[in-house]
Amino acid sequence: MENLSIIVSFELTIDPFCISPGVKYAIFFIGISMYFLSVICNVTLLLLIVLHKSLHKPMYFILFSLPLNDLVGITSMFPKVLSDIVTETNYTYYPLCVLQAFLLHMYGGGVLFILAAMAFDRYIAICMPLRYNAIMTPKVVMGIIALVWILDLSFIIVLFLLQAKHPRCRSHIVNVFCNNPSLLRLTCSDTTVNNIFGLFVTAAMQIITISIQGFSYVRILLTCLATSRSEAKRKAINTCLAQLAIFIIYETVGTFTILSYRFSVNPDLQKIMGMLVYLVPPLVNPIVYGLNSHEVRTNLLKVFKRKISM
């Protein structure tokens, strides 16, 4: 009887989507197609960077973290949501819920820090081209990548340690997936410290990453305006516009999701916008940061030609 009570206490219910039975399979098919497309694109980009020596450069070593992070984000959320839709189940277990929330928050912070690292790399490459190799040495690049993940992990670990100290008295997740705000709603104790630290983490990540990107892009823009080489200017502007587009999309959807937990928002809209944070970047990033690169396109075409000739 004691074991049964422990098992019951670990089971949580999840808010389902209000979907009619007639369209659930169509939604599942579209969703799973998008998921596999994202996985294929991101894994392809990872393999290209690993297997082709021409891509063993600082820019691509930093870029390597992005598809890796995207795979963590979309895999942590999307298959479970699609499975719940098609099987019409709406439950999970507390340890799995915490794991999913931890990975999703790691993904969210990872996007910001990786984009900032990539912006800094482009700033050095475009504004200091003659000193690029001297500045972006293998040791510096590895240090930047390590700093990205250490900062991300540190913020998220402390956030979840604070959440874990609260006793649970509820078992309903007010979302279609688990995250820190929905886990905090399971507690009946005072969560003021958690809310303040959560806002601090969000603000700190935003201030650090936006400052780096803002500084980098302003300096890149000034350098582009000062140069007379039209080809160099075009490449630099294309790089910046691509990165800014992804950053703006992520920030818009992410900010709405964060604010929706603190204000009254339509629950279904909140769920959809929350899912877009983990769906749109993993789909778009490989195209913007992969196919937008001439070197990546060239290596990809070589692979296709090799496969066709075989």
Side-chain angles (χ1 to χ4, degrees):
M1 193 71 184
E2 183 180 346
N3 290 337
L4 181 61
S5 65
I6 293 172
I7 293 171
V8 171
S9 69
F10 273 110
E11 188 171 301
L12 305 175
T13 57
I14 301 177
D15 258 4
F17 271 120
C18 297
I19 299 172
S20 62
V23 298
K24 69 176 184 178
Y25 290 107
I27 291 173
F28 175 80
F29 178 76
I30 294 170
I32 204 70
S33 299
M34 294 170 69
Y35 171 71
F36 280 121
L37 176 63
S38 174
V39 169
I40 290 168
C41 290
N42 282 287
V43 169
T44 299
L45 185 54
L46 287 172
L47 290 175
L48 284 172
I49 294 172
V50 170
L51 298 176
H52 293 270
K53 289 185 177 180
S54 61
L55 300 180
H56 292 180
K57 299 176 181 179
M59 172 185 173
Y60 296 106
F61 286 137
I62 297 173
L63 173 62
F64 186 85
S65 291
L66 192 63
L68 199 63
N69 189 59
D70 286 343
L71 287 171
V72 170
I74 195 168
T75 302
S76 300
M77 184 275 296
F78 214 47
K80 177 68 169 67
V81 172
L82 292 175
S83 173
D84 289 346
I85 289 173
V86 78
T87 59
E88 297 183 11
T89 56
N90 63 329
Y91 68 87
T92 187
Y93 295 97
Y94 183 70
L96 294 177
C97 190
V98 172
L99 177 62
Q100 183 186 51
F102 183 86
L103 292 174
L104 291 180
H105 281 271
M106 257 202 68
Y107 158 81
V111 171
L112 294 174
F113 286 119
I114 293 165
L115 291 181
M118 291 172 65
F120 176 75
D121 172 76
R122 291 300 82 202
Y123 156 67
I124 301 296
I126 294 168
C127 300
M128 307 176 189
L130 299 179
R131 297 176 56 199
Y132 181 76
N133 290 329
I135 295 173
M136 299 299 286
T137 62
K139 185 181 289 187
V140 170
V141 173
M142 291 302 106
I144 290 172
I145 295 169
L147 184 62
V148 163
W149 290 108
I150 289 170
L151 284 173
D152 189 22
L153 269 171
S154 300
F155 280 126
I156 304 308
I157 286 173
V158 176
L159 188 69
F160 275 78
L161 285 176
L162 285 173
Q163 180 268 128
K165 73 182 182 68
H166 292 285
R168 290 183 293 118
C169 62
R170 300 186 183 95
S171 59
H172 182 68
I173 296 293
V174 191
N175 208 333
V176 290
F177 56 86
C178 300
N179 54 17
N180 188 59
S182 60
L183 285 170
L184 280 177
R185 291 183 179 182
L186 300 179
T187 70
C188 294
S189 54
D190 183 19
T191 59
T192 303
V193 173
N194 299 73
N195 290 328
I196 292 172
F197 186 75
L199 288 172
F200 167 77
V201 167
T202 303
M205 286 182 172
Q206 295 286 347
I207 290 168
I208 292 169
T209 56
I210 289 176
S211 297
I212 293 171
Q213 293 194 70
F215 171 80
S216 299
Y217 291 136
V218 168
R219 292 300 301 269
I220 288 170
L221 179 61
L222 293 174
T223 301
C224 289
L225 292 174
T227 186
S228 58
R229 294 179 299 167
S230 58
E231 183 64 19
K233 185 186 295 186
R234 183 185 64 80
K235 287 182 178 179
I237 291 174
N238 283 344
T239 301
C240 292
L241 287 177
Q243 293 192 8
L244 280 171
I246 292 297
F247 181 70
I248 290 169
I249 291 170
Y250 178 81
E251 283 293 315
T252 302
V253 178
T255 301
F256 177 90
T257 303
I258 292 168
L259 293 177
S260 70
Y261 284 100
R262 288 162 175 81
F263 301 98
S264 180
V265 176
N266 180 279
D268 284 334
L269 179 61
Q270 184 187 71
K271 294 171 189 173
I272 292 169
M273 293 297 285
M275 288 178 63
L276 289 178
V277 175
Y278 308 102
L279 177 61
V280 174
L283 277 170
V284 179
N285 285 346
I287 298 170
V288 172
Y289 294 110
L291 297 181
N292 192 49
S293 165
H294 173 72
E295 290 173 302
V296 172
R297 287 200 310 270
T298 301
N299 282 288
L300 191 59
L301 286 172
K302 285 180 181 177
V303 172
F304 280 134
K305 287 178 181 177
R306 196 178 302 127
K307 292 293 182 183
I308 292 171
S309 62
M310 291 172 63

